[in-house]
Amino acid sequence: MTFSSSAKAEICKQPIEKPCCAVAEAYGIFLYGNTFSAGEIKIVTECRPLGGRLSALLQTGFDLTFDGIPPDAVEDKQSYVINAPDKLERIAATIGYDSGGVLAHHINFGILEESCCGVSLIRGAFLAGGSVTDPDKGYHLELTTSRRSVSRSLFTLLMELEFSPKDAMRRGNYVIYFKQSGVIEDFLTTIGAPQAAMSLMTAKVEKDMRNAIQRRVNCDTANVDKSVEAAQTQLAAIRRIEQGQGLETLPDKLHQTALLRIVNPEASLAELSQLADPPVTKSCMSHRLKKLIALGEEVVL
């Protein structure tokens, strides 16, 4: 099961508490479904839990049943159809459309008297035309329709509910989308998928932790490479001094430092500082090593 399917299945478990919300949710499904006309309403879905919810919404909101439902044996896409004229007229009247043989493809805000109804409509739109990317792959939620006026109306409704969507046109379809993980979490929670929102939040935390660890590893690796390169430069200078004039000609502190580096070629600056007798600061050890490099550059072999 995809992450989208899982989120929709979770939403379908939400109780239908009020007839007005049932009407609004069904309305959102009709608007974002396959066919919404004066002659037929048709919803095609691969989400099996949505079938049961569709029937409950139709019964609670309109006191109606579907004219055509898929047999239980159907495994792929399922089609739910209403084509009886009297049922279509009742639906049109309930959602506030004037009878006249045409169903307007835009949201009638007049039936969304309560904020819960606006959320219900968005829930229906997501169930019929929405998708959300698996958070392990990225953060993207979208609602897609071929009807421009429907998309613009839903965009307005989302803004009224204090979401900040983006919109685009893709292959002849109108898309409303979110790409910020936090906004997607809020959206899923609002429409009744808190577990999906929590999964997204958990995936983001894990991804951020992995990225932080990787950055730390990269930083540590870079520091090690830098230390190794510095140690090689110091050893090369010490060898030149040894070959040219001999280490015994060095002042005692520099002589000790040179021998420490030869015996501990991979030791860090901090480690060398503690190995000195007596121990010195990193700044002091760094100064001595730089002095050895400078002396090595002066040696003529």
Side-chain angles (χ1 to χ4, degrees):
M1 180 181 289
T2 65
F3 188 74
S4 276
S5 298
S6 178
K8 290 181 180 182
E10 181 185 355
I11 292 169
C12 288
K13 295 177 183 178
Q14 296 297 316
I16 302 169
E17 297 181 348
K18 297 192 291 185
C20 62
C21 290
V23 169
E25 186 173 332
Y27 188 19
I29 293 173
F30 296 158
L31 287 169
Y32 270 79
N34 297 76
T35 304
F36 184 42
S37 69
E40 182 181 61
I41 294 175
K42 183 178 182 180
I43 299 100
V44 180
T45 179
E46 294 180 348
C47 179
R48 295 188 69 86
L50 180 54
R53 188 167 184 85
L54 280 169
S55 297
L57 291 170
L58 202 61
Q59 181 65 47
T60 303
F62 304 92
D63 195 24
L64 295 174
T65 58
F66 282 100
D67 296 318
I69 59 174
D72 292 337
V74 174
E75 294 292 338
D76 298 324
K77 292 183 178 180
Q78 303 171 309
S79 297
Y80 295 84
V81 180
I82 303 171
N83 48 29
D86 59 327
K87 294 182 179 181
L88 293 169
E89 288 177 6
R90 180 183 295 184
I91 290 172
T94 303
I95 60 180
Y97 287 173
D98 295 330
S99 60
V102 177
L103 289 181
H105 289 154
H106 62 77
I107 296 174
N108 176 16
F109 286 89
I111 71 165
L112 306 178
E113 296 182 356
E114 304 291 338
S115 60
C116 59
C117 294
V119 170
S120 295
L121 189 143
I122 293 171
R123 180 186 301 121
F126 178 78
L127 287 172
S131 64
V132 57
T133 302
D134 187 322
D136 289 332
K137 299 177 181 177
Y139 308 122
H140 186 88
L141 183 148
E142 66 179 44
L143 300 106
T144 305
T145 178
S146 60
R147 306 176 182 111
R148 182 179 184 277
S149 56
V150 170
S151 187
R152 295 307 302 163
S153 297
L154 191 71
F155 189 97
T156 299
L157 178 58
L158 286 166
M159 292 292 289
E160 289 182 358
L161 293 174
E162 299 185 353
F163 288 100
S164 299
K166 303 290 186 181
D167 61 351
M169 189 171 183
R170 186 194 308 141
R171 295 190 292 274
N173 290 319
Y174 299 90
V175 181
I176 293 173
Y177 66 92
F178 302 100
K179 296 188 77 69
Q180 298 84 10
S181 60
V183 177
I184 296 173
E185 291 163 16
D186 291 342
F187 182 92
L188 291 173
T189 300
T190 299
I191 64 174
Q195 292 181 11
M198 183 60 69
S199 295
L200 192 151
M201 189 182 304
T202 301
K204 184 178 186 301
V205 170
E206 292 176 350
K207 186 181 295 185
D208 288 346
M209 287 182 63
R210 287 196 300 269
N211 290 340
I213 291 171
Q214 188 60 52
R215 285 194 297 270
R216 180 62 183 270
V217 169
N218 291 342
C219 181
D220 289 346
T221 300
N223 288 337
V224 168
D225 291 343
K226 199 174 186 181
S227 295
V228 169
E229 183 178 351
Q232 292 302 316
T233 300
Q234 295 155 11
L235 284 168
I238 292 168
R239 291 192 197 98
R240 288 181 65 83
I241 295 171
E242 184 177 23
Q243 294 171 10
Q245 64 190 51
L247 298 180
E248 65 278 0
T249 63
L250 293 171
D252 290 343
K253 292 179 180 179
L254 290 184
H255 185 230
Q256 180 195 57
T257 300
L259 294 177
L260 278 175
R261 175 49 85 195
I262 292 172
V263 176
N264 304 279
E266 297 180 358
S268 67
L269 187 62
E271 291 168 340
L272 280 183
S273 300
Q274 293 304 307
L275 290 172
D277 185 19
V280 297
T281 64
K282 286 173 59 178
S283 176
C284 179
M285 180 58 67
S286 176
H287 177 75
R288 292 181 183 181
L289 290 168
K290 287 178 181 178
K291 183 64 176 176
L292 287 171
I293 292 173
L295 291 173
E297 291 174 348
E298 295 173 358
V299 173
V300 177
L301 298 178

